[in-house]
Amino acid sequence: MGPLLAIENLEIKYHTRDGILTALRNINFEVHEREIVGIVGESGCGKSTVASAVMRLLPPNGQITAGHMWFKGLDLCQLDQERLRHLRGKDMAMIFQDPMTSLNPVFTVEDHMVDALRAHPRANTSRRALRDQAVAMLKRVDMADPERRVKGFPHQFSGGMRQRIMIAIALMSNPALLIADEPTSALDVTLEAQIVDLIRGLRDELGTAILYITHDLGVVAQLCDRVIVMYAGNIVESGDVYSLFEQPKHPYTRALLRSHPAYSLGQARLTTIPGRVPSLRELPPGCKFAPRCDCAVGICHAEEPPYVEIDGHCVLCHAYLAGSERALPAEERTLAAVEVQPAEASFGPSEEVVVETRQLRTHFQDHVGFLGQILGQKGGAAVRALDGVDVQVRRGETLAVVGESGSGKTTLGRTILRLENPTDGQIVIEGQDITSLSLSRVRPMRARMQMIFQDPCSSLSPRKKVSSILLEPFEIHGVAASPGQVDELLAMVGLSPEQADKYPHQLSGGQSRRVGIARALALQPDILVADEPTAGLDVSVAAGILNLLKDLRETLNLTYIIITHNLSVINFIADRAAVMYLGKIVELAATADLFARPGHPYTEALLSAIAIPDPRLRDQRQRIILKGEIPSPRTPPPGCPFHPRCRYAEARCAQEVPAVQALNGTEHLAACHFPERVGQMRE
């Protein structure tokens, strides 16, 4: 049987003010029935353009200039819009990266799903019959209480639930091909595991072929059958998922894998890929990866390499040509650790406590406006974002705060810096209780304690150049800046002086984060709170940011509180980790101890959900898939807050709040009635 989808010599160009830019070149691959094919690469490599081309949803200035796309014997390049409309949603469906922008906020979930069915009418098209089909599909994607939730609006659902709704809509007509564009990129590790498990189960149940686009190598290893690696509009390598991860051929594939924290355990620094993906306006001659390749030679910069078949892989590289001047020996073609010299450390963690919270609580109460008061409305129950947090951070230490969205991580960081006012408890900074200080007295202290915000673009003024952004802290605190201050700050975070004259929209994601870090360091603070410093970044860019943070800590004696839901990074950078759930710290331990022997069922589930970039572990490693999502902090469950999702829960857990206890007389703390049952996973 032939392939379901076959792409042959596809080329796509964009017409812009700067001329005609080639986005994709010589793209060839196939997707067979019931197969999951992953497309990976950094941002700007052309992954999403491939998805848009298959669906024929290119922007108006995009044009297919060469090649064919065969789907069930039809050439998609030749079909008119009417024929395409009948294919989309029925035989081909797509899950877009951001479900909130794909769902109309004025329509209910039922409206979305019924409209999807009505676009391709069948025998029974009554509203009730279509609604029943919608409810059945929501149940199939594990939506709790689908009969009631089908009446909800998109804003009433969490990110994970909205993604399930998008999957349900896409599968309403049982399509032969499903295209998923970064469906888990913004989700917590537990929700990511749920969605990946759901997609694999639906493939097995419905027989749908899936084209899965992502920059997460761990998800690809756990989900896909075959992998396509893209770089600068080309496929540079493709092959079976097992052989590609075990024996990567192309230098770019090897570099991507080396950048993943899982391949750098025990190393002082993460491996990064120098430079960045070239702009379509500035594509280099020869091999497009040559300027970043650590083994490129003259021919790589002068001539484009041909495709070579080797060991079942299709590779775009000069190294594998017969008689090549840089043909790689077999032992150099395998993935091997790269020795990276760390920066010389001047400081390390001490015993001095610089940040301490004591039974810290932050509750948010709904405020009823003037019109609401006239109508007699009352505020709802308070949101218990923090509900009794005790934590200490030592000077020079990095404390990672981990947990799902809604667990209170960001609120803890913001409350410590008094960006949110606490409801109860104490905040002690360097021996001074700042809990009840007025903002006028707290403001001077903020020169010593700064925050790196989660979204660098929204935290940088779009109307100011980088130079003005970096000088702003000096102006606010009345401190004189030296003449070369901007250049010094840029150099500290690895940016060149010419970046000073750019606006935030002219920077890449990694550069924007570096500017945010430079601004936070401008007044030489002692304490830095970093909120999701690597969220949404490519693996190599994220590795560079983590290396930078670690170097700055060791050379400037900084104290970090790093807030993240990415557990892959904390084993590299954090000395200790605090696991939060529903406003409480449920476990606190040295990072190595936490990974080796978790003491709380929630931590155990988080660790098991980490997507490790090794496909051999997909069937060997026990994964604990948590059902549902974190409860509302307005109405937390009685007893242990985690008991509704805990596999060890007993009647006592639903009635009695567990006390925080030291495990085996160590500093490893956990709030669980049965810590001895936890940590029995077998990798």
Side-chain angles (χ1 to χ4, degrees):
M1 183 181 294
L4 178 69
L5 174 70
I7 308 297
E8 298 178 358
N9 301 316
L10 183 66
E11 180 183 81
I12 292 178
K13 295 180 182 291
Y14 286 116
H15 297 264
T16 70
R17 297 177 186 175
D18 299 323
I20 299 176
L21 306 178
T22 304
L24 297 179
R25 299 175 305 281
N26 197 25
I27 302 297
N28 292 272
F29 68 89
E30 296 178 349
V31 180
H32 294 263
E33 291 184 3
R34 306 181 68 88
E35 184 179 41
I36 303 179
V37 177
I39 301 182
V40 299
E42 296 170 280
S43 298
C45 285
K47 307 186 301 295
S48 294
T49 302
V50 171
S52 298
V54 173
M55 295 294 290
R56 288 287 304 276
L57 293 175
L58 291 171
N61 66 329
Q63 182 182 4
I64 298 174
T65 53
H68 300 276
M69 297 187 295
W70 301 98
F71 177 74
K72 288 187 171 182
L74 298 173
D75 189 350
L76 298 176
C77 299
Q78 305 300 322
L79 297 184
D80 58 29
Q81 288 300 317
E82 184 65 21
R83 293 287 302 279
L84 286 169
R85 191 180 71 83
H86 286 293
L87 281 178
R88 296 191 196 113
K90 182 180 180 182
D91 295 305
M92 299 188 305
M94 186 167 179
I95 305 169
F96 294 93
Q97 183 170 355
D98 184 359
M100 198 59 191
T101 59
S102 303
L103 297 171
N104 192 318
V106 302
F107 291 123
T108 65
V109 172
E110 179 181 337
D111 293 332
H112 284 90
M113 301 184 75
V114 167
D115 286 346
L117 286 171
R118 281 180 170 168
H120 306 284
R122 297 184 179 182
N124 190 346
T125 57
S126 69
R127 178 77 185 194
R128 183 176 184 82
L130 296 178
R131 180 186 181 281
D132 290 343
Q133 291 183 52
V135 170
M137 183 54 72
L138 288 178
K139 187 178 297 184
R140 181 175 279 178
V141 298
D142 295 331
M143 176 76 76
D145 194 8
E147 291 82 2
R148 180 179 63 86
R149 305 301 290 273
V150 76
K151 294 291 187 182
F153 289 88
H155 72 275
Q156 296 174 310
F157 295 87
S158 67
M161 289 294 105
R162 286 197 290 266
Q163 200 62 274
R164 289 175 188 274
I165 292 168
M166 288 297 300
I167 294 172
I169 294 172
L171 295 173
M172 285 294 288
S173 297
N174 194 12
L177 175 66
L178 176 65
I179 300 174
D181 187 6
E182 298 275 11
T184 63
S185 62
L187 300 182
D188 298 318
V189 63
T190 53
L191 292 178
E192 177 184 271
Q194 290 178 22
I195 296 299
V196 168
D197 192 61
L198 171 64
I199 290 175
R200 185 189 296 113
L202 290 171
R203 186 276 302 267
D204 296 338
E205 179 184 349
L206 304 177
T208 305
I210 299 170
L211 188 62
Y212 194 96
I213 296 167
T214 183
H215 65 264
D216 192 327
L217 295 164
V219 171
V220 169
Q222 301 305 313
L223 180 66
C224 298
D225 302 309
R226 287 192 300 115
V227 186
I228 295 168
V229 183
M230 292 194 65
Y231 185 81
N234 283 126
I235 294 176
V236 296
E237 184 171 359
S238 62
D240 169 77
V241 65
Y242 291 95
S243 61
L244 188 137
F245 274 79
E246 186 175 353
Q247 295 279 332
K249 309 299 181 187
H250 197 280
Y252 180 58
T253 309
R254 298 203 304 270
L256 281 178
L257 287 169
R258 285 178 181 145
S259 299
H260 197 282
Y263 284 95
S264 303
L265 294 180
Q267 293 192 41
R269 287 169 62 82
L270 298 175
T271 307
T272 61
I273 308 175
R276 55 187 294 189
V277 178
S279 165
L280 295 179
R281 299 179 180 86
E282 303 168 349
L283 290 176
C287 173
K288 309 310 175 193
F289 185 63
R292 306 174 70 190
C293 183
D294 56 4
C295 52
V297 294
I299 190 174
C300 302
H301 297 280
E303 298 180 14
E304 288 205 30
Y307 283 101
V308 179
E309 290 281 346
I310 178 168
D311 298 337
H313 292 212
C314 184
V315 187
L316 186 70
C317 184
H318 286 293
Y320 300 97
L321 294 175
S324 169
E325 61 180 292
R326 56 158 294 228
L328 299 178
E331 62 271 15
E332 293 185 19
R333 296 175 187 168
T334 60
L335 180 67
V338 176
E339 293 295 329
V340 184
Q341 294 299 320
E344 184 175 347
S346 303
F347 299 97
S350 68
E351 294 301 316
E352 179 191 359
V353 176
V354 293
V355 178
E356 183 177 6
T357 67
R358 301 166 185 166
Q359 284 299 294
L360 187 63
R361 289 177 170 83
T362 302
H363 297 176
F364 298 105
Q365 185 70 48
D366 287 339
H367 293 285
V368 179
F370 177 72
L371 181 60
Q373 293 177 18
I374 293 176
L375 297 175
Q377 295 179 355
K378 297 181 179 180
V383 175
R384 304 178 186 180
L386 296 181
D387 205 15
V389 173
D390 292 303
V391 70
Q392 293 182 341
V393 188
R394 304 179 183 97
R395 186 175 300 280
E397 181 184 37
T398 297
L399 175 73
V401 183
V402 300
E404 296 170 283
S405 297
S407 61
K409 308 186 302 298
T410 297
T411 302
L412 175 61
R414 292 178 62 87
T415 304
I416 287 174
L417 299 184
R418 284 291 308 276
L419 296 175
E420 303 288 352
N421 290 320
T423 304
D424 195 10
Q426 286 182 290
I427 308 167
V428 181
I429 304 293
E430 295 181 329
Q432 182 178 1
D433 188 342
I434 69 168
T435 314
S436 302
L437 292 183
S438 64
L439 290 179
S440 61
R441 295 184 62 187
V442 170
R443 186 172 290 111
M445 298 182 64
R446 289 195 176 134
R448 306 202 314 270
M449 48 186 193
Q450 287 286 312
M451 187 163 189
I452 303 168
F453 294 94
Q454 180 173 355
D455 185 354
C457 296
S458 63
S459 65
L460 302 178
S461 173
R463 296 182 294 275
K464 292 186 177 183
K465 292 183 177 180
V466 168
S467 56
S468 298
I469 290 171
L470 296 182
L471 291 174
E472 193 173 27
F474 297 94
E475 298 170 2
I476 292 173
H477 290 276
V479 178
S482 63
Q485 192 73 61
V486 171
D487 289 349
E488 289 179 15
L489 289 171
L490 290 173
M492 186 183 297
V493 296
L495 293 176
S496 57
E498 56 261 26
Q499 307 296 339
D501 291 326
K502 292 184 177 180
Y503 289 92
H505 73 273
Q506 297 173 305
L507 304 174
S508 67
Q511 290 173 331
S512 297
R513 287 196 188 274
R514 288 173 184 264
V515 170
I517 294 171
R519 180 179 61 180
L521 293 173
L523 299 177
Q524 300 180 352
D526 299 317
I527 302 162
L528 270 180
V529 176
D531 190 3
E532 299 283 6
T534 62
L537 297 181
D538 294 318
V539 61
S540 179
V541 178
I545 295 296
L546 292 172
N547 285 338
L548 171 65
L549 291 174
K550 190 172 184 180
D551 288 346
L552 292 173
R553 181 194 71 176
E554 294 172 349
T555 55
L556 302 178
N557 199 26
L558 294 171
T559 301
Y560 283 139
I561 299 174
I562 294 185
I563 298 163
T564 182
H565 66 260
N566 186 354
L567 276 78
S568 297
V569 307
I570 68 170
N571 209 13
F572 166 73
I573 195 170
D575 301 300
R576 290 189 301 148
V579 182
M580 289 195 69
Y581 189 81
L582 217 56
K584 299 178 182 291
I585 291 180
V586 297
E587 186 164 5
L588 178 64
T591 306
D593 294 339
L594 192 83
F595 274 73
R597 185 65 185 267
H600 194 279
Y602 181 54
T603 310
E604 181 186 37
L606 289 178
L607 294 176
S608 78
I610 297 175
I612 298 176
D614 187 348
R616 295 171 298 180
L617 298 178
R618 65 166 67 174
D619 298 320
Q620 301 175 11
R621 182 167 170 259
Q622 180 186 2
R623 303 187 74 193
I624 303 170
I625 305 297
L626 291 179
K627 297 299 182 182
E629 296 187 327
I630 191 168
S632 170
R634 292 182 187 275
T635 54
C640 174
F642 185 63
H643 85 265
R645 305 170 74 189
C646 180
R647 63 176 180 167
Y648 305 114
E650 294 186 1
R652 176 187 179 190
C653 302
Q655 301 167 2
E656 183 182 336
V657 178
V660 177
Q661 56 182 304
L663 305 184
N664 301 320
T666 66
E667 293 186 351
H668 190 153
L669 307 177
C672 180
H673 291 303
F674 310 108
E676 68 280 355
R677 300 182 185 179
V678 184
Q680 301 302 316
M681 293 184 301
R682 292 293 179 262
E683 299 294 333

